[in-house]
Amino acid sequence: MSMLSSGKVLPTKIHPPLLRPMAYRVLSKKYGLSIKSDGLAALSEFIGTTFGTTWKQNSETMKFLELFASVWKQQERGLFVDRAGVEEVVNELKEREKTNVKEAHVPKRKTATTIDNFLVGNKRTSTEVEDNNPNEQRNNDVDDDEGPLDQSLDLNDDTKSNTPIFSEEPLPLAQEMDITPEESEKDEQDLDWRDYFKIINSSEQRKFNYNPLKRQLYYQPEKPSHSGMLHIPSPQAKIDLFRTRYFLTRDRLLRNENFQTGNDTFNPLSSMFQMKNSIQNGQSDQITAGLAITQIKNLLGRDSQNFLLLGMLKKNSKGTWSLEDVSGSVEIDISQTIPSPGLYFIPGSIVLVEGIYYTVGHKFAVASMTYPPGERRDKTLDSIGNLDLLGMHGNSKSSFVPRLDNEIKIRLHLLERELMDHKFVLLGGDIFLDELHTIDGLKKVFQRLDPDPPTVLIFFGSFTSVPVHASMSSKNISATTQYKNNFDSLANLLAEFENLINYTHIVLIPGPNDPWNSISSLGANGILPQKPIPTFFTKKMNRICKNITWGSNPTRIAYLSQEIVIFRDNTIELCKRHQVVFPIVEQERENELLLLEEQMANTSIDDTTMLVDRIISEKEQLPAKVVETRKIIKTLLDQGHLSPFVDSIRPITWDLDHTLTLHPIPSTLILCDMSSAPFDLTYNGCKSINPGKFTHKRKARYMEFQPSLKSLSHEEIYF
């Protein structure tokens, strides 16, 4: 196929890793060239434009790579194939093709007789006599290794072929390269896991807008920022912050089988109250109709009727609780509300409430309250068209967003199972580098890890025991200088372990005491997402460690087919402090305590022990730590957000709210929470991990996570 006729094919976007096996066989294996990532991307762009959707089956793709490598070697461009070199060689090939096309339409004229032409002419004549077939002529004067691009040949020579560079004749590639069909197929199937491994900070994460009418996500290209100017989010970003969360949650809820009615009217026969009674009475087969959601604006004029509402729970200007959706807000009465157990109800969470609306006072009496049901990752991806939200399979544009190919997903999943030796080590949080016992604990951990270095080593802040702010200490050393010295000490410690600094990718996640947050909040919970630690403090670490990433909070890791979200925050503490108090629940607890006290006062010691055991066995109570763990994970994943609080509790940078979303839920959620004990559980297919605090009673604690099997092991070292 001629490049000049590339418009006849259907152009396509080729992800560079898909071209890598083919390019490796030609450029690296045969010609000894090393392909850089930008050079491979440039080749992918050109081949996708020139050969279209059939580039992989078209033999002209391999022929082009042969010609490209031949010209590269002839021009002595060096060992490494980069983007600039690719563009220059491609332009030269285009010019040569144009010359050949012009030659094909120019009448042949007799050229001057030279020794070279005479010898070439004699060689052609002898070939014609021996073969006795003029249709099988070929340029025997061209060496196979050099190809038809030998610059010493005269372009006006009669013996030169006028066929364009990209001809449509098939090329016997397997015979030329001495590759068997089995080896060729194997090379095409090879995937390099490094091409599908990426650590993504909040500033690098792609933003998608949601259209609630079409129920589709649209990529929003990042606007160019002017250096030196303060970035201020637009007021529209503040409005979209809640609207996007609401519509994503609403559409996820409507995909639930209990909400497939297709209308906007409430059916009291299918209410939550009736459903609960039917199940308790063993009449679950009578539940045939689905649930329907009513907008708040449609409550007006419908006095004393039962409704199901979806909205954000918050306090209004009067200081009373209210529910708000995109159509309006209504004051709610929770004095008789029965909440679903196992959830934290907090200001800012999106909830489902059932109750009766009263026109007097425009108030909604809530009978029951719960969260919208969660959804598994694969189902959410199917609903959004398997969009590549992390940008691992191609560059997103306003008019094009790459999608997750099913074949690639299967191959990546199989590759994960083969990489059994890959492991992520999660050090506990609050690694205070200004304390000597923390350095001792790190040294012990590094000594154990260095013989068999992990793939990724994650440090969680805070990295100082006191907030970093612009002040002078008693030793007349600024806090920032001391903070920098702490990281220099960590760099000196890591320099003793060559395997870790050479083969392990180190990731550092900031905490509440680290800069950016602490300068303005003095260690309190600051604005999310939190920026990485400033480069002023990281220079020596960058020199020592070959693979290091200063992550934001949160940070995402794309690992083959998995998405791993890393978040450092004391979320459980915030939930306990700000959770909604329901009077009925509190009254039931008081009644139970009073009843227990009366029974214990009237029984002996042995009978009291038996009574407590009986009460515990009847309620099948779990340990408090397990209950808290389940509540916080279910709260975050059902809300689909890492910080489902109102701005007054947890401020968020408006136009970066998309970096905190959990839509779809990740494959693994690493929540480093110092207000909770370490935990490990799975909910809706999401592996949730909390490594806990790093040092505890002269013990250094960390976790080893194996992504291929999603298995976890807790490790402790005494120091």
Side-chain angles (χ1 to χ4, degrees):
M1 177 182 296
S2 173
M3 276 192 298
L4 298 179
S5 62
S6 60
K8 297 180 180 180
V9 300
L10 181 63
T12 185
K13 182 75 173 180
I14 302 177
H15 190 47
L18 298 179
L19 181 64
R20 185 182 295 276
M22 191 180 296
Y24 170 78
R25 294 204 304 272
V26 179
L27 303 185
S28 299
K29 191 173 182 180
K30 186 172 181 179
Y31 288 89
L33 300 177
S34 179
I35 312 172
K36 288 188 174 182
S37 58
D38 59 344
L40 183 63
L43 284 172
S44 302
E45 294 172 3
F46 174 76
I47 291 176
T49 304
T50 305
F51 301 108
T53 56
T54 60
W55 66 272
K56 201 168 187 179
Q57 296 80 18
N58 194 344
S59 61
E60 296 302 316
T61 304
M62 293 290 283
K63 188 172 183 180
F64 161 72
L65 293 175
E66 285 278 343
L67 300 179
F68 175 87
S70 177
V71 173
W72 189 282
K73 296 290 286 186
Q74 289 173 11
Q75 298 180 356
E76 298 181 354
R77 290 181 172 271
L79 180 63
F80 298 98
V81 179
D82 56 0
R83 174 176 283 273
V86 169
E87 293 175 351
E88 292 176 2
V89 172
V90 167
N91 290 334
E92 181 170 344
L93 291 178
K94 289 181 179 180
E95 292 299 325
R96 293 189 181 188
E97 182 183 7
K98 292 179 182 179
T99 303
N100 289 336
V101 173
K102 291 180 180 179
E103 291 287 333
H105 295 85
V106 175
K108 296 182 180 179
R109 55 193 178 97
K110 188 174 182 180
T111 58
T113 304
T114 61
I115 296 178
D116 293 337
N117 290 340
F118 180 78
L119 293 176
V120 173
N122 289 339
K123 185 177 294 186
R124 183 183 62 175
T125 303
S126 61
T127 304
E128 292 176 359
V129 172
E130 291 176 1
D131 295 342
N132 198 21
N133 188 352
N135 295 328
E136 296 180 359
Q137 298 175 9
R138 55 178 186 161
N139 297 330
N140 293 328
D141 58 297
V142 180
D143 184 64
D144 290 339
D145 294 334
E146 295 180 354
L149 297 176
D150 192 348
Q151 296 179 351
S152 63
L153 294 178
D154 187 0
L155 293 178
N156 294 324
D157 192 352
D158 292 341
T159 61
K160 179 168 175 44
S161 173
N162 291 321
T163 305
I165 292 177
F166 299 95
S167 63
E168 298 183 0
E169 294 182 11
L171 187 67
L173 299 173
Q175 297 178 5
E176 283 193 8
M177 302 180 63
D178 195 21
I179 299 177
T180 62
E182 293 77 13
E183 293 176 344
S184 176
E185 182 178 357
K186 181 180 179 180
D187 288 340
E188 289 185 1
Q189 298 298 326
D190 287 343
L191 293 177
D192 189 352
W193 70 270
R194 296 174 183 84
D195 295 329
Y196 298 91
F197 173 77
K198 185 179 181 181
I199 300 176
I200 306 170
N201 282 341
S202 297
S203 59
E204 302 170 350
Q205 187 173 342
R206 305 182 178 191
K207 184 176 182 179
F208 289 82
N209 290 332
Y210 187 68
N211 187 330
L213 298 178
K214 296 183 178 180
R215 298 186 180 181
Q216 293 180 352
L217 289 170
Y218 293 93
Y219 173 66
Q220 177 180 340
E222 183 179 0
K223 296 182 179 179
S225 59
H226 301 282
S227 59
M229 296 184 63
L230 180 64
H231 174 68
I232 301 177
S234 64
Q236 184 62 36
K238 169 66 173 177
I239 300 174
D240 294 340
L241 187 146
F242 164 68
R243 291 176 60 88
T244 302
R245 276 190 59 198
Y246 175 82
F247 284 125
L248 287 175
T249 305
R250 186 203 64 179
D251 291 345
R252 185 191 73 197
L253 176 65
L254 295 179
R255 288 194 295 269
N256 189 282
E257 58 183 6
N258 292 322
F259 291 83
Q260 300 295 327
T261 59
N263 54 54
D264 193 33
T265 58
F266 180 73
N267 183 359
L269 296 178
S270 61
S271 67
M272 299 165 61
F273 181 76
Q274 293 291 339
M275 181 181 293
K276 181 179 179 180
N277 290 340
S278 299
I279 294 176
Q280 291 178 349
N281 297 331
Q283 300 174 352
S284 58
D285 55 337
Q286 297 181 4
I287 306 175
T288 56
L291 301 175
I293 301 173
T294 302
Q295 291 187 348
I296 292 178
K297 68 176 183 179
N298 295 334
L299 297 178
L300 296 176
R302 305 167 74 175
D303 185 41
S304 302
Q305 295 185 27
N306 202 359
F307 296 98
L308 182 68
L309 306 180
L310 175 69
M312 176 180 288
L313 184 65
K314 59 186 300 187
K315 285 193 174 182
N316 55 23
S317 58
K318 301 178 183 179
T320 58
W321 291 108
S322 65
L323 196 72
E324 179 181 344
D325 66 6
V326 293
S327 66
S329 62
V330 62
E331 183 179 345
I332 60 175
D333 179 12
I334 62 172
S335 59
Q336 302 297 321
T337 302
I338 301 177
S340 294
L343 293 168
Y344 284 110
F345 292 93
I346 51 181
S349 58
I350 297 179
V351 297
L352 268 173
V353 298
E354 184 204 2
I356 301 175
Y357 174 71
Y358 297 99
T359 56
V360 178
H362 186 51
K363 184 175 293 187
F364 189 82
V366 179
S368 58
M369 181 181 297
T370 187
Y371 274 2
E375 189 175 62
R376 297 182 68 88
R377 176 179 175 83
D378 52 354
K379 187 174 181 180
T380 306
L381 286 174
D382 290 339
S383 67
I384 63 175
N386 288 304
L387 293 179
D388 181 18
L389 301 178
L390 298 181
M392 292 302 298
H393 300 268
N395 297 323
S396 298
K397 299 180 181 179
S398 57
S399 59
F400 171 77
V401 178
R403 301 180 184 272
L404 303 176
D405 183 76
N406 289 331
E407 180 182 353
I408 294 296
K409 288 167 62 176
I410 295 174
R411 292 170 60 188
L412 290 176
H413 181 71
L414 295 176
L415 180 59
E416 288 176 6
R417 295 304 181 97
E418 297 177 2
L419 301 175
M420 302 290 292
D421 56 334
H422 284 198
K423 60 181 178 180
F424 291 16
V425 172
L426 317 174
L427 301 182
D430 283 350
I431 303 178
F432 297 146
L433 300 177
D434 55 342
E435 297 180 354
L436 293 179
H437 70 278
T438 301
I439 301 297
D440 295 338
L442 287 173
K443 186 173 183 179
K444 288 288 187 180
V445 173
F446 294 162
Q447 288 175 350
R448 175 180 289 188
L449 298 178
D450 190 64
D452 184 18
T455 307
V456 178
L457 177 61
I458 303 177
F459 293 75
F460 289 97
S462 301
F463 296 105
T464 176
S465 57
V466 293
V468 178
H469 54 278
S471 65
M472 302 296 290
S473 67
S474 58
K475 297 180 181 179
N476 205 28
I477 299 177
S478 66
T480 54
T481 302
Q482 182 63 41
Y483 189 75
K484 183 177 182 298
N485 294 338
N486 293 338
F487 279 110
D488 291 346
S489 301
L490 178 60
N492 294 332
L493 178 61
L494 282 169
E496 302 176 8
F497 305 94
E498 295 185 359
N499 289 336
L500 288 178
I501 63 178
N502 290 324
Y503 304 109
T504 297
H505 202 118
I506 298 175
V507 182
L508 295 97
I509 308 298
N513 289 350
D514 294 310
W516 297 124
N517 261 357
S518 54
I519 289 178
S520 58
S521 60
L522 298 183
N525 289 315
I527 300 176
L528 290 176
Q530 185 178 354
K531 294 182 179 180
I533 296 174
T535 56
F536 173 77
F537 306 106
T538 64
K539 295 179 180 178
K540 190 168 185 179
M541 287 283 291
N542 293 337
R543 290 197 304 267
I544 296 296
C545 304
K546 292 187 177 181
N547 302 306
I548 185 170
T549 298
W550 298 90
S552 60
N553 186 26
T555 291
R556 296 174 189 259
I557 297 181
Y559 176 81
L560 299 178
S561 65
Q562 300 185 30
E563 177 185 355
I564 302 174
V565 175
I566 307 173
F567 188 43
R568 167 67 180 94
D569 195 43
N570 296 335
T571 308
I572 294 182
E573 181 181 358
L574 280 177
C575 289
K576 288 181 178 179
R577 185 184 307 166
H578 298 284
Q579 66 178 332
V580 179
V581 178
F582 295 94
I584 286 185
V585 177
E586 295 299 318
Q587 186 64 39
E588 288 181 355
R589 291 177 181 175
E590 292 179 2
N591 294 338
E592 289 179 358
L593 290 176
L594 290 175
L595 180 62
L596 180 61
E597 290 177 358
E598 292 178 0
Q599 292 178 350
M600 293 178 63
N602 298 328
T603 56
S604 60
I605 297 179
D606 295 338
D607 294 337
T608 301
T609 304
M610 295 177 60
L611 177 62
V612 172
D613 293 340
R614 180 174 59 81
I615 294 176
I616 293 176
S617 61
E618 287 178 355
K619 292 192 173 184
E620 297 181 356
Q621 294 181 350
L622 296 173
K625 295 180 180 179
V626 177
V627 174
E628 290 179 1
T629 297
R630 292 184 176 182
K631 286 179 67 174
I632 189 60
I633 295 302
K634 194 174 190 305
T635 298
L636 294 182
L637 295 184
D638 285 356
Q639 285 295 306
H641 204 273
L642 288 172
S643 183
F645 302 95
V646 293
D647 288 347
S648 59
I649 298 177
R650 202 71 166 93
I652 294 175
T653 304
W654 300 340
D655 57 345
L656 294 178
D657 179 70
H658 64 281
T659 64
L660 301 171
T661 185
L662 298 177
H663 179 86
I665 64 174
S667 306
T668 302
L669 172 62
I670 303 175
L671 174 64
C672 188
D673 192 331
M674 296 300 96
S675 61
S676 170
F679 61 75
D680 163 28
L681 61 91
T682 301
Y683 173 68
N684 263 347
C686 175
K687 183 79 168 180
S688 302
I689 305 169
N690 177 23
K693 189 176 178 60
F694 177 63
T695 57
H696 179 70
K697 296 181 180 180
R698 305 301 298 179
K699 292 187 295 184
R701 303 188 299 185
Y702 66 94
M703 293 182 175
E704 289 188 358
F705 175 62
Q706 192 175 7
S708 60
L709 299 176
K710 284 192 176 182
S711 61
L712 193 74
S713 62
H714 300 250
E715 305 292 340
E716 292 182 349
I717 300 179
Y718 287 91
F719 60 91

